[in-house]
Amino acid sequence: MDRLHSFLELFIPLFVAIDAFGLLPIFVAVTDGMPLAQRRRITYQSVFTALVISLAFMFLGDAVFRFLRIDEADFKIAGGIILLVLAVLDLLISGKPSVHETEMVGIVPLAMPLIAGPATLTTILVLVSRRGYAAVSLGLAVNFALLLLVLLASGAIARVVGMSTLRAFSKLVMVLLAAIAVNFIRVGIVQAMATPH
């Protein structure tokens, strides 16, 4: 029972940060019109790339931050700006200008900054400081396996819900994404102002 409780303390924060189900309408929107084989390739590419980024950041994040003399606040502000630009472009310009190069959508914006974004990476750093590398690696593995299953089933989910509904919902998600981006920027600025330099 203690082991289950300990695992859930790791799993739940990472689950919320990665947000597999919240990513689904965005994934369907950016892969709309692609053949099944290409969509599956992008699914594996995005999840694998995000996992590699997350693991690399878990081991190197603190060292990189110290070397570059940046902190969590700086990272949140930068990540928030990237997400805000992507959301605004998606809302104001027809099509998908932020993901125009279809061969790259698995890496940008899906893997980074949507999956392995500021929320995920900062959560990883906080959990590693509390629980260690092995436990956080396990939590990441389970969460990314769940994410892979959700994205692979995106076509079936889209057929059940309907593409028009998902397209409409994806625009709402972009508004929420913009709000999340603003929240990252705001929290980052507050943290930066509160941190003595």
Side-chain angles (χ1 to χ4, degrees), residues 90-110:
D90 186 272
L91 288 167
L92 298 183
I93 302 176
S94 61
K96 288 287 170 185
S98 58
V99 290
H100 181 66
E101 299 178 53
T102 56
E103 292 303 317
M104 292 295 292
V105 297
I107 299 173
V108 178
L110 290 177

Side-chain angles (χ1 to χ4, degrees), residues 3-192:
R3 287 185 178 181
L4 177 61
H5 182 265
S6 179
F7 174 74
L8 288 177
E9 286 182 340
L10 278 170
F11 175 82
I12 292 174
L14 289 170
F15 178 79
V16 172
I18 295 170
D19 191 16
F21 293 100
L23 183 67
L24 180 60
I26 301 175
F27 176 81
V28 171
V30 300
T31 58
D32 186 23
M34 294 181 183
L36 178 61
Q38 185 179 13
R39 195 161 58 242
R40 284 183 177 274
R41 186 173 69 250
I42 288 173
T43 299
Y44 286 109
Q45 181 188 52
S46 61
V47 174
F48 177 75
T49 303
L51 178 59
V52 170
I53 292 170
S54 298
L55 290 173
F57 195 81
M58 179 175 68
F59 289 104
L60 302 174
D62 275 335
V64 171
F65 279 11
R66 286 195 302 269
F67 178 76
L68 297 176
R69 296 184 179 179
I70 60 176
D71 56 22
E72 180 183 324
D74 301 321
F75 190 73
K76 283 186 176 179
I77 294 169
I81 291 172
I82 293 170
L83 284 178
L84 183 60
V85 169
L86 291 173
V88 170
L89 285 174
D90 186 272
L91 288 167
L92 298 183
I93 302 176
S94 61
K96 288 287 170 185
S98 58
V99 290
H100 181 66
E101 299 178 53
T102 56
E103 292 303 317
M104 292 295 292
V105 297
I107 299 173
V108 178
L110 290 177
M112 181 74 178
L114 292 178
I115 302 173
T120 301
L121 299 182
T122 52
T123 300
I124 288 170
L125 284 185
V126 171
L127 290 175
V128 164
S129 66
R130 296 176 182 173
R131 307 297 299 276
Y133 294 107
V136 176
S137 296
L138 176 61
L140 279 172
V142 175
N143 269 286
F144 276 102
L146 176 61
L147 174 64
L148 182 63
L149 292 175
V150 170
L151 296 185
L152 286 174
S154 62
I157 296 171
R159 283 193 295 272
V160 171
V161 177
M163 280 304 301
S164 59
T165 302
L166 279 176
R167 286 193 188 101
F169 189 66
S170 71
K171 291 299 181 182
L172 174 60
V173 170
M174 287 300 170
V175 175
L176 297 176
L177 190 64
I180 292 170
V182 171
N183 176 262
F184 279 140
I185 296 169
R186 178 179 58 80
V187 171
I189 291 172
V190 169
Q191 287 182 349

